[in-house]
Amino acid sequence: MKHKTLAVSLLLPALMLAASGTAFSDDDEDEKGGFPGRWSGGGKPGVAPVENPQYLEECGGCHFPYQPGLLPARSWTKLMAGLEDHFGENAELPADDAKAIEGYLVKNAADRSTYKRSQKIMKYMRPGDVPLRISETAYFLKEHDELSRRMVQDNPEVGSFSKCGACHTQAARGSFEERSIRIPGFGRWEDD
Ligand code: HEC
Ligand code: HEC
C-alpha cells in the first residue's frame, strides 16, 4: 500500500496548483466603468457551476443550462413566471417542478453569489433593471462588443449569442476565461 500513499501525496499538490492557476487567470483586470462601490472584490473565479440534476434536465434540453449566477433573482422570478411564452417557445412545467427550479435559481442568483463573474454582472446592472437575457446585460454587451456578425449571427455553427457553449469551451464548468474561447470556424480568440 505504500506506493498508493505516494501517488495521493503527489497528486494532491498538483490538483491544488491547477485550481489556483484557474483562480488567477479567470480574473480580468478591466474594472473601469460600471457603478463604483458595487463590486466588493475577492470571491471565486467564474460563476458557480450547475449541480442540480432537475435544472439540467428541465432547462438544459433546448439550450446551454445557464448558471443561476448569470442573472439576478428578480430576473429569474420574472422568467419563471412566463414560461408559456419563453422567447417564442412554450417551456411550461408542472407547477411543483417550476417552483423547485425557481427556488434553486433565486437562491443561487448573481446578486446572492460570491463568485466574481456574478458580482461583475451585478456591478454593471442598473438597480431597477430586470433583464430576461444574459446576452442583453450591460456586462455581457461590453465583453462581446468586438465580435462581428460573421462570427455569431451569420455563423452556421453559432447563430446567436445565447449559445455560450459554442465558443466558451469551459462554460459548463462556470468558466468563461479568455484562454478557453474558440469561435467555430475562426479558432482561438486572440485579444490584443
Ligand atoms: C422548449 C425549449 C426551451 C426550454 C425547455 C427552455 N428554454 Fe430557455 N430559451 C429557449 C429559446 C428558443 C431561447 C432563445 C434563444 C435564442 O435567442 O437564441 C431561450 C433563451 C433563454 C434565456 C436567455 C438566453 C440569453 O440570450 O441570454 C434564458 C436565461 C433561458 N432561456 C432560461 C431557461 C430556463 C431557466 C429554462 C427552464 C425553466 C428554460 N430556459 C427552458 C428555449 C427553451
Ligand atoms: C460567438 C462566440 C461567443 C458566444 C456565443 C458567447 N461568447 Fe462570451 N466571449 C466571446 C469572446 C470572443 C470573448 C472575449 C472578447 C474580448 O476579449 O474582447 C467573450 C467574453 C466573455 C466573458 C468575459 C471573459 C473575460 O475573461 O473577461 C464572459 C463572462 C462571457 N463571454 C460569457 C458569455 C456567456 C454567459 C455567453 C452566453 C450567454 C457567451 N459568453 C456567449 C465569445 C462568445
Side-chain angles (χ1 to χ4, degrees):
M1 282 295 119
K2 201 162 186 180
H3 47 277
K4 196 169 183 185
T5 324
L6 184 65
V8 170
S9 65
L10 284 174
L11 195 64
L12 208 60
L15 284 173
M16 285 161 66
L17 207 67
S20 65
T22 321
F24 287 115
S25 57
D26 199 33
D27 181 18
D28 69 343
E29 301 302 324
D30 176 17
E31 288 310 324
K32 288 176 286 221
F35 298 93
R38 295 189 56 219
W39 188 58
S40 50
K44 292 179 233 170
V47 295
V50 174
E51 274 150 14
N52 180 321
Q54 187 185 22
Y55 178 73
L56 287 176
E57 182 171 331
E58 303 293 356
C59 304
C62 294
H63 50 61
F64 176 75
Y66 309 109
Q67 287 89 355
L70 291 169
L71 285 174
R74 56 186 185 265
S75 292
W76 292 124
T77 302
K78 186 175 175 187
L79 185 135
M80 292 303 291
L83 287 182
E84 69 286 347
D85 183 12
H86 177 78
F87 305 97
E89 303 253 353
N90 186 346
E92 233 180 333
L93 289 171
D96 51 341
D97 290 342
K99 201 171 167 223
I101 288 174
E102 184 181 338
Y104 163 71
L105 288 166
V106 165
K107 185 165 172 241
N108 296 283
D111 48 344
R112 313 230 166 134
S113 175
T114 55
Y115 281 70
K116 284 185 196 168
R117 209 60 91 181
S118 298
Q119 294 177 342
K120 282 182 197 168
I121 291 170
M122 292 315 300
K123 180 188 167 194
Y124 284 87
M125 196 177 294
R126 262 183 264 271
D129 284 356
V130 191
L132 288 181
R133 283 183 182 269
I134 300 141
S135 60
E136 285 173 359
T137 61
Y139 176 69
F140 185 98
L141 295 172
K142 167 184 99 76
E143 291 292 343
H144 296 85
D145 65 355
E146 287 175 33
L147 279 85
S148 65
R149 281 197 69 89
R150 278 198 317 133
M151 295 174 173
V152 192
Q153 293 87 349
D154 298 342
N155 187 338
E157 291 176 73
V158 183
S160 127
F161 269 123
S162 306
K163 302 230 177 94
C164 318
C167 306
H168 294 279
T169 61
Q170 303 299 314
R173 283 181 40 227
S175 171
F176 297 92
E177 59 179 356
E178 290 190 11
R179 67 171 175 193
S180 55
I181 301 173
R182 309 271 184 286
I183 302 180
F186 292 83
R188 256 194 76 146
W189 179 259
E190 311 279 359
D191 206 9
D192 43 35

